[in-house]
Amino acid sequence: MTANEKAGEFSRLHSLFSFHLGVAVALSWLTALYASFYAPWVRNIRPLIDPSYAGQVESTWSFLFVFPAVLTVAWLMCVSGREMFRHMRVFKSQATEFAIAGALAFVVFYLAIDRAVAVLSLGL
C-alpha cells in the first residue's frame, strides 16, 4: 500500500468516524436535555434511582450532562486534530484503531443514554 492509499483510507475512515461521533453527540445531548425537563433537580439523584445506593453525592446536573460533555470534547478533538491523528499510530492497522475508538465512543454514548433513561424512568 502506498502512502497515498494510506492517506485516502485514513481520510475515509476519519470522515466516517467523525460523522457518526457527531450523530452520537447530538443524540446524547438531545436525550439529556429532554430528560432534564422531567428530572428532579436535587443535590443527590442516585438514591432516587437506586434506594440502596450509599456512595458519593451526584447532582442531577452532573448525572445527566457529564457524558454528553465528554462526547462533545472527543468530537471536537477528533475534528480539529485530524492531521495529528493521521501521523500518530498505535497499531499497524488503521481499521483497528478506528474500531477501538468507535467501541469506546459507543460505550460513552450508551452510558449517556442509560443515565437519561434512568432519570426519565423516575416518573416524578
Side-chain angles (χ1 to χ4, degrees), residues 59-73:
S59 71
T60 303
W61 177 262
S62 65
F63 186 80
L64 279 177
F65 297 117
V66 71
F67 286 123
V70 168
L71 280 173
T72 303
V73 170

Side-chain angles (χ1 to χ4, degrees), residues 1 8 10 16-17 35 50 52 85 87 89 91 94 98 105 112 118:
M1 188 176 277
F10 176 84
L16 191 65
F17 179 76
D50 182 16
S52 65
F85 291 134
H87 298 293
R89 299 293 301 261
F91 296 106
Q94 290 178 351
F98 280 104

Side-chain angles (χ1 to χ4, degrees), residues 63-64 67-68 104-117:
F63 186 80
L64 279 177
F67 286 123
L104 290 174
F106 180 77
V107 167
V108 175
F109 172 71
Y110 175 80
L111 290 172
I113 299 299
D114 185 54
R115 283 183 168 208
V117 169

Side-chain angles (χ1 to χ4, degrees), residues 19-36:
F19 172 75
H20 285 90
L21 185 58
V23 170
V25 167
L27 288 175
S28 67
W29 274 109
L30 287 174
T31 308
L33 288 172
Y34 181 76
S36 72

Side-chain angles (χ1 to χ4, degrees), residues 76-121:
L76 290 173
M77 287 175 55
C78 178
V79 170
S80 65
R82 178 181 179 145
E83 290 304 314
M84 181 187 69
F85 291 134
R86 180 188 306 262
H87 298 293
M88 185 176 68
R89 299 293 301 261
V90 177
F91 296 106
K92 236 179 177 178
S93 171
Q94 290 178 351
T96 303
E97 290 179 349
F98 280 104
I100 291 170
L104 290 174
F106 180 77
V107 167
V108 175
F109 172 71
Y110 175 80
L111 290 172
I113 299 299
D114 185 54
R115 283 183 168 208
V117 169
V119 168
L120 285 171
S121 69

